[in-house]
Amino acid sequence: MEPVTMHDAHSPSPSWLPPESPLPMPVQDLRNGRLSSRRLPTSPCGIAWRRAGVMGMAVAMTLFATYQIWWVLRGDGISMLEGVLLALFVALFAWIALSFSSALAGFALLLSKRPHPLGIDEGHRPSLTTRTALLVPTYNEDPQRVLAGVQAMHESLVDTGQSACFDFFILSDTTDEDVRRKEVVAVHALRHRLGPDARVFYRRREKNTERKAGNIADWVRRFGGAYPHLLILDADSLMTGETLVRLSAAMEREPMLALIQTLPMIVNGRTFFARMQQFAGRVYGPVAAHGIAWWHGAEGNYWGHNAMIRTAAFARHAGLPRLGGGKPFEGAVLSHDFVEAALLRRGGWAVHMVPGMGGSFEEGPPSLIDMLVRDRRWCQGNLQHGAVLPARGLHWISRMHLMVGIGHYATAPMWAMLMLVGLAIPLQQAGFHLSQPQLDGFTPALYWRGGDPERFLWVFYLTMAVLLAPKVMGCIATMLDAPLRRQCGGALRIAGSALLETMMAALMAPVTMYVQSRGVAEVLAGRDSGWETQRRDDGSVPLAGLVRRYAGLSVFGAFSGVLAYLVSPALAAWMAPVVMGMVLSVPLNLLTASPSLGDRLRRAGWLRTPEEAAPPTILARALELRTPFVEAPSPTASGTIPAAEGL
């Protein structure tokens, strides 16, 4: 490699990149297009019946619950507030009913242990005949951490005997000068350790046009012609060599397959919050993922990373346009993955999920605040999909994916409105006569003229059952799998951990609701979320910062609790979980961001996952490699380092 001085560390050098192989990637026109009518051979038989069953169950449950609430409200006629409450209830119940019916399908699939129709997780390891590019976009990340994962994956591929079919590309959008220099040094050290036969390349862009989507598109247009397949990783992603080989083989075997999305398991959680997310993803996640894979079929979705993609299909159909329509919709597509999946399907290609395939990992945010900071960026991107929904030629399931993404954030302000309307109705009906004796025995959260408290209670219990049932299904499926049950600490620890996670999630829900509602308002007002580097391990937040963020929410929660108590002590008791979550927002953030508490729970066997009990080789190796390398050879004795390319 040609050495240059530290001052010239970012000047072009051919040794950092292979020869270019351009591949056109035209920008798609959302106003003109039609859905390809060609048959998808990987689409499951009876997919229409599957979708009818899942959606039909959700509709039937929603109609039943709606009738019960209407019966309670109908008394002396439905007032305006009660009409608003009814509309909110219908929308929100339909949301959780669809999740329930989808999870029920996944639960049945898990118990039956049916193999995936693509045959991707069966038989002997296949032999590959094509090349795959493994893309690692990075933006101001710790280079040592990112490249430790690259080395661990490279070594895992070597163990399969087919590493020659895979090239790694570190695609840097880094803007921090210090991190840029460290990237160059770290890449040089990695290439030195792996030897001359390792194909690890590095490219840095000077301008971060269109963020991550632009980073990938730039690679496709410059190098995509040499690689039939590409796989996109996040900075914290890991995938075993076995999984990478099987995914590539599936692409070779199925010529109409454009994208295969795995279900990454969350790993390496240290804080209480991170371990909660890790446990929830491992125990509840497979039920949900198997369900949606079952009825989405060849019209699956894409979550932005840990997915194998056919390069030619991606280049031809997934070039993203700039959106118009004014703020918050205009500009580059931020949440690009949903849109890319929709455009691939519009072009006549299959998009599948394979949730039963292991060997795919990612890391979660270390604290609630970190999750909500990331969530704010996703909120802006998902709401922006409102400008994509009218695009011509999209499959109706693809439109549904976009609407679900929008709904994920629209439901937060809807839950907040439901709570406020529910508090306003008894105040209205009581006429603010707070001493009325008939309110002393107040039981339901709402008080209506001529109401039916017993019927309301049953609707409440039904709602809670539908909301919590996917978690129960996940626990049961985990307990019935003997090896998995042992690795999670046994049935009692699984049940206890699920109860702990559910209680803490319920207490944190008002904070999430508040922040997401505020985020929706900011997006609609045109405020950009920016593009910040994610914290990976440290979840600590200064107390003063937490007080600034959540003091207003705590005061509002206390006020709501006092107001509810003045109406009726029973109403205050009914609202206690929401009120407590708001009042305790600061200590909850401190508690869940604690690594020491996370370590204590780990030692006690709570919130345990199989990857924590018996870490896969690739996880252990990546953690080992994160420590600084003593033998790193750069800078050289002459004070120089190898050159890296900038655009």
Side-chain angles (χ1 to χ4, degrees):
M1 298 183 190
E2 177 187 356
V4 296
T5 64
M6 181 73 77
H7 177 73
D8 297 326
H10 304 300
S11 60
S13 171
S15 63
W16 289 91
L17 289 170
E20 293 196 8
S21 181
L23 183 64
M25 190 173 183
V27 172
Q28 299 299 302
D29 186 350
L30 299 182
R31 292 174 295 182
N32 295 292
R34 48 186 303 189
L35 180 64
S36 172
S37 59
R38 63 179 175 178
R39 180 182 174 274
L40 297 178
T42 59
S43 185
C45 296
I47 189 66
W49 287 107
R50 295 183 184 188
R51 292 167 178 169
V54 169
M55 295 185 185
M57 176 181 289
V59 169
M61 293 171 62
T62 303
L63 290 175
F64 174 78
T66 301
Y67 174 77
Q68 302 304 316
I69 286 292
W70 171 81
W71 183 272
V72 174
L73 289 171
R74 81 196 197 293
D76 297 326
I78 298 178
S79 67
M80 183 180 70
L81 276 179
E82 290 168 341
V84 170
L85 182 136
L86 181 60
L88 290 170
F89 175 84
V90 171
L92 291 169
F93 192 92
W95 178 266
I96 63 172
L98 181 60
S99 298
F100 169 83
S101 59
S102 180
L104 186 61
F107 180 61
L109 206 62
L110 275 176
L111 295 187
S112 69
K113 299 186 182 297
R114 296 178 185 174
H116 193 275
L118 293 177
I120 198 169
D121 51 357
E122 296 180 314
H124 299 292
R125 180 186 301 147
S127 295
L128 302 178
T129 60
T130 56
R131 301 190 65 77
T132 297
L134 305 178
L135 310 184
V136 187
T138 179
Y139 174 74
N140 293 335
E141 297 279 355
D142 175 8
Q144 192 69 55
R145 184 189 187 105
V146 174
L147 297 184
V150 170
Q151 181 171 344
M153 285 186 284
H154 183 274
E155 292 174 358
S156 183
L157 281 167
V158 170
D159 290 341
T160 69
Q162 301 194 61
S163 61
C165 294
F166 295 87
D167 291 358
F168 287 87
F169 285 81
I170 293 89
L171 305 179
S172 173
D173 261 355
T174 293
T175 56
D176 184 281
E177 283 296 332
D178 184 53
V179 178
R180 283 180 176 182
R181 295 177 186 277
K182 290 179 180 178
E183 280 179 353
V184 173
V185 173
V187 170
H188 175 61
L190 175 64
R191 288 161 62 97
H192 181 271
R193 289 193 304 276
L194 295 180
D197 294 332
R199 295 180 62 83
V200 177
F201 305 106
Y202 173 78
R203 189 273 286 133
R204 178 182 58 79
R205 293 197 302 169
E206 291 289 351
K207 295 183 179 180
N208 310 127
T209 308
E210 297 181 0
R211 304 184 183 183
K212 180 179 176 180
N215 197 355
I216 300 300
D218 173 81
W219 178 89
V220 170
R221 292 180 175 119
R222 292 184 60 189
F223 304 101
Y227 298 91
H229 319 129
L230 65 91
L231 185 137
I232 301 174
L233 296 151
D234 258 2
D236 59 2
S237 294
L238 281 174
M239 298 182 74
T240 64
E242 185 74 23
T243 296
L244 293 170
V245 168
R246 290 189 179 277
L247 289 173
S248 293
M251 300 297 281
E252 291 182 358
R253 199 166 52 242
E254 300 289 349
M256 297 303 299
L257 185 59
L259 187 149
I260 316 174
Q261 173 73 65
T262 65
L263 176 63
M265 291 299 167
I266 303 175
V267 295
N268 296 334
R270 292 184 55 238
T271 64
F272 185 10
F273 180 83
R275 298 193 72 250
M276 283 174 54
Q277 299 295 304
Q278 188 172 279
F279 176 84
R282 192 62 177 85
V283 175
Y284 317 145
V287 167
H290 277 80
I292 61 176
W294 183 74
W295 66 274
H296 286 179
E299 285 75 38
N301 208 355
Y302 173 37
W303 297 337
H305 58 90
N306 292 34
M308 186 71 71
I309 302 172
R310 190 175 303 277
T311 312
F314 189 76
R316 183 175 179 182
H317 299 288
L320 299 179
R322 291 187 66 83
L323 302 177
K327 293 183 178 181
F329 306 115
E330 68 180 7
V333 177
L334 301 180
S335 292
H336 55 91
D337 39 13
F338 283 33
V339 180
E340 288 161 348
L343 292 175
L344 286 170
R345 181 60 190 88
R346 184 176 79 167
W349 296 88
V351 177
H352 280 273
M353 173 179 282
V354 284
M357 189 172 199
S360 181
F361 311 100
E362 65 175 337
E363 296 182 1
S367 71
L368 178 60
I369 281 185
D370 287 287
M371 186 196 77
L372 292 173
V373 167
R374 183 183 68 177
D375 210 53
R376 171 62 176 79
R377 186 171 67 250
W378 289 354
C379 175
Q380 181 174 346
N382 283 21
L383 292 182
Q384 190 188 40
H385 290 165
V388 181
L389 273 174
R392 298 192 63 181
L394 299 185
H395 193 280
W396 69 273
I397 290 289
S398 298
R399 294 189 199 277
M400 188 171 182
H401 293 325
L402 297 172
M403 288 189 289
V404 166
I406 295 170
H408 178 77
Y409 294 97
T411 53
M414 291 172 69
W415 281 114
M417 290 173 61
L418 185 69
M419 184 188 73
L420 294 174
V421 171
L423 183 60
I425 287 177
L427 293 175
Q428 181 191 58
Q429 298 301 326
F432 296 96
H433 296 302
L434 302 179
S435 62
Q436 288 188 17
Q438 65 266 31
L439 291 178
D440 293 340
F442 187 85
T443 302
L446 306 173
Y447 174 80
W448 297 299
R449 297 163 292 177
D452 185 341
E454 185 176 349
R455 187 184 295 263
F456 171 79
L457 280 174
W458 281 109
V459 174
F460 174 77
Y461 296 147
L462 173 65
T463 304
M464 290 298 100
V466 172
L467 187 63
L468 298 176
K471 294 190 176 189
V472 175
M473 294 179 205
C475 289
I476 293 173
T478 303
M479 292 177 188
L480 292 178
D481 186 322
L484 193 58
R485 181 179 67 245
R486 287 192 296 270
Q487 290 175 324
C488 289
L492 287 178
R493 279 200 173 91
I494 292 171
S497 296
L499 181 61
L500 174 64
E501 186 276 334
T502 300
M503 290 174 57
M504 294 302 298
L507 287 173
M508 289 187 287
V511 180
T512 303
M513 177 181 67
Y514 161 72
V515 175
Q516 286 187 340
S517 299
R518 186 181 64 188
V520 170
E522 290 174 349
V523 170
L524 295 178
R527 181 177 172 184
D528 186 70
S529 64
W531 192 17
E532 298 181 11
T533 305
Q534 294 180 203
R535 298 195 303 172
R536 300 295 181 186
D537 291 312
D538 183 13
S540 61
V541 179
L543 179 60
L546 286 173
V547 171
R548 282 195 302 271
R549 285 174 181 261
Y550 299 122
L553 180 63
S554 299
V555 171
F556 176 76
F559 173 76
S560 300
V562 170
L563 187 62
Y565 181 82
L566 292 175
V567 173
S568 164
L571 176 60
W574 195 270
M575 292 183 59
V578 175
V579 170
M580 287 176 61
M582 290 189 286
V583 172
L584 300 176
S585 55
V586 171
L588 277 174
N589 271 276
L590 286 174
L591 180 72
T592 56
S594 168
S596 61
L597 182 55
D599 287 340
R600 290 178 187 174
L601 290 168
R602 178 184 55 80
R603 290 193 297 269
W606 293 90
L607 302 172
R608 181 184 294 177
T609 63
E611 292 76 21
E612 186 177 62
T617 302
I618 193 171
L619 292 184
R621 181 60 173 152
L623 287 174
E624 176 188 351
L625 291 169
R626 285 181 185 178
T627 58
F629 292 102
V630 177
E631 74 274 16
S634 53
T636 65
S638 61
T640 62
I641 60 176
E645 179 192 15
L647 295 181

